[in-house]
Amino acid sequence: MTDYFSLQLKEDEIRCISSIGLAHLGDAVYELLVRSYLCAHGKATGKGLHRATIELVCAPAQARMSEKIQPLLTEEEQGVFRRGRNANVHSIPHHASRAEYQQATALESLFGWLYLHGRRDRITQLFDKMMEEE
């Protein structure tokens, strides 16, 4: 039985995943972190919790948050981030600019990549930085 909560793939297997695939996974990782953060910080009502989550997971917010961590990224992480930013996305939500959506996709790709490498400590470090002053 595969433990998908602690999935770790070989480097070659991770490299074969498209940036969109990494972003797909990273989106879930990021949303779980946001939901956990909000619950831990007292946003416990259903309506307020949902609204607060939406405010933090939308592309413009993710783009803004990604700016906080970019100076902290290693060379390898910067490469993953760039690859995600340059991914060929076909549809952009109406509430985001192309640049914001590309930054959000880059952030999600990075989180997906870190997750698959088992680097939860690094994800936490970056997420903590992103949530400063929020």
Side-chain angles (χ1 to χ4, degrees):
M1 182 168 81
T2 303
D3 178 5
Y4 289 101
F5 280 113
S6 301
L7 185 63
Q8 288 190 359
L9 302 175
K10 295 177 182 144
E11 187 61 38
D12 287 346
E13 294 172 313
I14 295 171
R15 203 172 301 121
C16 289
I17 299 172
S18 70
S19 295
I20 299 300
L22 292 175
H24 179 72
L25 180 58
D27 177 54
V29 171
Y30 181 73
E31 185 158 344
L32 180 60
L33 289 167
V34 166
R35 287 174 180 236
S36 299
Y37 174 87
L38 291 172
C39 286
H41 288 86
K43 298 270 189 196
T45 64
K47 198 178 218 181
L49 195 54
H50 179 71
R51 283 188 182 135
T53 300
I54 296 301
E55 286 178 22
L56 290 171
V57 300
C58 67
Q62 286 183 347
R64 194 175 61 252
M65 300 285 223
S66 72
E67 291 174 8
K68 294 180 178 183
I69 64 166
Q70 285 181 18
L72 305 174
L73 300 181
T74 66
E75 262 186 61
E76 188 176 29
E77 291 167 346
Q78 287 173 7
V80 173
F81 190 91
R82 263 191 312 277
R83 183 177 152 211
R85 188 182 59 224
N86 296 333
N88 191 11
V89 293
H90 297 290
S91 62
I92 311 285
H94 296 292
H95 65 277
S97 69
R98 175 172 281 287
E100 288 171 330
Y101 197 70
Q102 288 173 312
Q103 286 291 106
T105 302
L107 177 66
E108 292 169 349
S109 294
L110 176 61
F111 274 36
W113 182 84
L114 288 168
Y115 175 79
L116 289 175
H117 278 89
R119 304 266 327 268
R120 286 163 188 80
D121 57 333
R122 182 62 171 156
I123 294 170
T124 300
Q125 181 184 37
L126 294 173
F127 184 76
D128 284 346
K129 181 65 175 173
M130 290 166 54
M131 297 310 289
E132 285 178 2
E133 302 171 24
E134 286 300 318

